[in-house]
Amino acid sequence: ILTLFLSISFQQHDVILLASASAVVASPIMAFRRGTNAAITNTAATATETAAPPSATIIAEVGEEALATPNTDTAVVVEEATSTTSTPTSSNPVVQLVNYVKTSCVNFKDGLVQMNTDHKRCKTIRAKQSAYALANGTYRPRGIRGIQTGGISYEEYDFLKKGLVDRNKLFAVGVVSVCLPNYFVYYLWSFPDMMPTPFLKGKDMREISRERCHAVISTMLDIEKGARVAPWTSKLNPFGRKATERAMERLGNCIALGCASLEEYGAVGPNGGRMILKKLRSQVYTSDPPTKQQRLLAGKDIPKQIMKGLTKAIGADPLNKGSSPFGISALKHIESVTLADEFLVNEKIDIESINSALLSEACSARLIGSLGWTDEARKEALASWLQEMEIAPREATSDGKVHYNGNLARAALMCYNVVDGTRDSGADSSLLRVMYQGQKKEPLILN
């Protein structure tokens, strides 16, 4: 009853208040969705845990600013400060209800304060970019292109970029609560990742690793089935037999290329990615400009089974899903990664200066690495990615005679990265890793 009351009563307030009310609504829903009653019986402890955002909070501006995420140190400080306000649990249901309402109100107030703080920081970052653009004789445009303006650090760039995504989430939550108030709670229940970043419960990296491992295996099964068994829709068109055979042959060639690449010596880590790109060089670098179909990855270069599996692997991390309740397509994600790569190269960002949290997010967006990777390994892999995706193509296409299909190159390298992460010893799906590694050799006994 309290949840429904909050979701309806806050409809008459400003959109900023509505977003913070969503956090109050989302807390019991996410607890119910996990099938646990601890969030209701232990109200104070659960409300504190749910309220402690792993990131920053909302920026209330319908322009470009929205939500953003501070660094890990700030999140830790907020969590520690929130945990100190927890009250002892009681078996009295009245006390539990009072504590729950009190904690929700405190979290609501803290969200408003954090929104104001983030709003001021976004204005400061944009003013910094505007001054930088004015000094170079240009101006700062609005939207995503405005974020690409230089003069800021990568942490500030990531702050603004996440703000745009969270603004769209905030707008979607506001539209649903105003237009469909009776279904607002079910919306939050069905799409928990659509809550703005401050109210999202952090997803365990082990769970992300498992989902990506399962996406790899299911994609391999789909590819093999497509190469061996004709789809049932082919029977509806008696004149499409040749086209079906050609499609199955392309999948067979894809299987042969994948097996040869995975079995090749040294195909591990960044070195394996360079070997994959070397084999695909004739398709990535062409004398003619890539067609629209090739840029959209809708042609015959990448089978639809691979694109479907790549989308699943990307959506395993909530930070990669964007603002759509149904996830983000692989192409849209690749375009977002391309903008980040261009910023890192254009602004000559030192990879060593990126903190551990942002480094992990950047590698996860590119499907690089696994659980056991250190910061040094991630920095090496990220530097190799930028070299192969941005620096080397700029040198190869500087004369204008060669054209580069960046979307195809990034999609191919992401596919390799997620497979390599599945084979890595740090992957959480141990059974799948054993399939890759095989049996141990019998030790030699020396007499």
Side-chain angles (χ1 to χ4, degrees):
I1 296 174
L2 177 63
T3 303
L4 293 175
F5 171 77
L6 289 174
S7 63
I8 297 174
S9 60
F10 281 100
Q11 296 170 19
Q12 302 175 355
H13 290 69
D14 188 43
V15 70
I16 302 175
L17 302 178
L18 177 63
S20 297
S22 304
V24 180
V25 176
S27 301
I29 296 172
M30 294 179 66
F32 174 75
R33 192 170 180 266
R34 290 176 174 81
T36 174
N37 295 325
I40 305 300
T41 56
N42 301 323
T43 310
T46 306
T48 304
E49 180 183 357
T50 308
S55 319
T57 51
I58 303 174
I59 300 171
E61 184 179 81
V62 184
E64 311 177 26
E65 76 236 49
L67 308 151
T69 305
N71 53 32
T72 308
D73 298 336
T74 307
V76 173
V77 172
V78 173
E79 184 176 0
E80 292 177 354
T82 310
S83 61
T84 57
T85 60
S86 60
T87 57
T89 59
S90 174
S91 59
N92 191 337
V94 177
V95 176
Q96 294 178 6
L97 180 61
V98 171
N99 290 337
Y100 176 78
V101 174
K102 178 182 178 181
T103 305
S104 300
C105 294
V106 171
N107 295 336
F108 179 77
K109 176 188 70 71
D110 294 341
L112 292 178
V113 173
Q114 188 63 49
M115 279 191 290
N116 186 40
T117 303
D118 292 340
H119 171 69
K120 293 180 179 180
R121 188 186 178 193
C122 259
K123 291 182 63 177
T124 303
I125 296 175
R126 287 197 304 274
K128 186 177 179 181
Q129 285 186 316
S130 299
Y132 176 82
L134 184 62
N136 289 275
T138 60
Y139 69 98
R140 182 187 184 277
R142 296 181 63 86
I144 188 64
R145 288 299 173 184
I147 298 179
Q148 296 298 118
T149 306
I152 59 176
S153 64
Y154 179 71
E155 191 273 336
E156 294 172 329
Y157 170 83
D158 185 76
F159 192 96
L160 289 179
K161 195 171 183 179
K162 289 179 180 177
L164 288 178
V165 175
D166 285 342
R167 178 203 60 184
N168 295 332
K169 291 183 178 180
L170 176 62
F171 178 77
V173 170
V175 169
V176 172
S177 63
V178 172
C179 299
L180 301 172
N182 295 334
Y183 300 96
F184 180 61
V185 174
Y186 302 104
Y187 173 79
L188 299 180
W189 185 19
S190 303
F191 306 104
D193 292 335
M194 281 309 296
M195 291 300 298
T197 304
F199 308 124
L200 281 178
K201 186 174 179 63
K203 194 171 184 178
D204 191 3
M205 290 299 297
R206 292 174 295 182
E207 184 178 356
I208 296 176
S209 176
R210 288 195 302 272
E211 291 185 9
R212 287 178 173 173
C213 291
H214 298 168
V216 169
I217 297 300
S218 62
T219 302
M220 290 182 176
L221 295 177
D222 292 341
I223 294 174
E224 188 173 18
K225 181 180 179 181
R228 303 291 187 269
V229 181
W232 67 271
T233 54
S234 62
K235 300 178 181 179
L236 302 178
N237 184 11
F239 305 101
R241 179 179 177 182
K242 292 295 183 180
T244 302
E245 292 178 353
R246 288 193 297 269
M248 295 175 65
E249 183 180 359
R250 286 195 298 270
L251 286 178
N253 296 334
C254 180
I255 293 176
L257 177 61
C259 293
S261 302
L262 295 177
E263 293 174 354
E264 192 169 356
Y265 177 78
V268 179
N271 186 49
R274 288 189 288 267
M275 296 168 63
I276 294 292
L277 293 176
K278 185 177 180 180
K279 293 182 178 181
L280 298 176
R281 184 174 180 83
S282 60
Q283 300 178 14
V284 174
Y285 295 94
T286 57
S287 57
D288 298 327
T291 63
K292 181 179 180 181
Q293 190 179 29
Q294 292 173 340
R295 293 196 306 270
L296 296 179
L297 304 179
K300 303 176 182 179
D301 295 331
I302 300 182
K304 60 181 181 180
Q305 291 88 345
I306 294 182
M307 294 300 298
K308 180 180 178 181
L310 183 60
T311 302
K312 289 182 180 179
I314 292 172
D317 190 348
L319 296 178
N320 298 337
K321 286 187 176 182
S323 56
S324 173
F326 305 103
I328 188 173
S329 65
L331 180 62
K332 289 294 183 182
H333 180 72
I334 289 174
E335 293 176 352
S336 177
V337 170
T338 301
L339 294 177
D341 293 343
E342 292 176 354
F343 179 85
L344 288 170
V345 175
N346 293 338
E347 299 303 315
K348 300 179 180 179
I349 301 296
D350 185 12
I351 303 298
E352 299 293 333
S353 63
I354 302 178
N355 61 57
S356 179
L358 288 179
L359 182 64
S360 178
E361 292 178 3
C363 290
S364 178
R366 296 159 179 82
L367 307 183
I368 295 176
S370 185
L371 290 175
W373 280 40
T374 61
D375 288 348
E376 289 71 19
R378 288 192 173 96
K379 291 177 182 178
E380 179 185 357
L382 182 58
S384 176
W385 171 282
L386 295 177
Q387 176 65 31
E388 298 297 331
M389 296 294 103
E390 279 295 324
I391 300 176
R394 293 184 182 185
E395 296 175 355
T397 59
S398 58
D399 55 358
K401 298 180 180 180
V402 180
H403 300 274
Y404 172 66
N405 189 350
N407 291 344
L408 176 60
R410 286 180 172 84
L413 193 53
M414 282 184 181
C415 291
Y416 164 78
N417 288 337
V418 69
V419 173
D420 185 62
T422 305
R423 297 192 299 171
D424 189 81
S425 59
D428 191 68
S429 296
S430 56
L431 290 177
L432 302 182
R433 188 171 66 250
V434 170
M435 291 177 59
Y436 284 115
Q437 295 176 347
Q439 296 179 344
K440 298 180 179 179
K441 295 182 179 180
E442 184 178 358
L444 298 177
I445 301 178
L446 301 177
N447 295 331

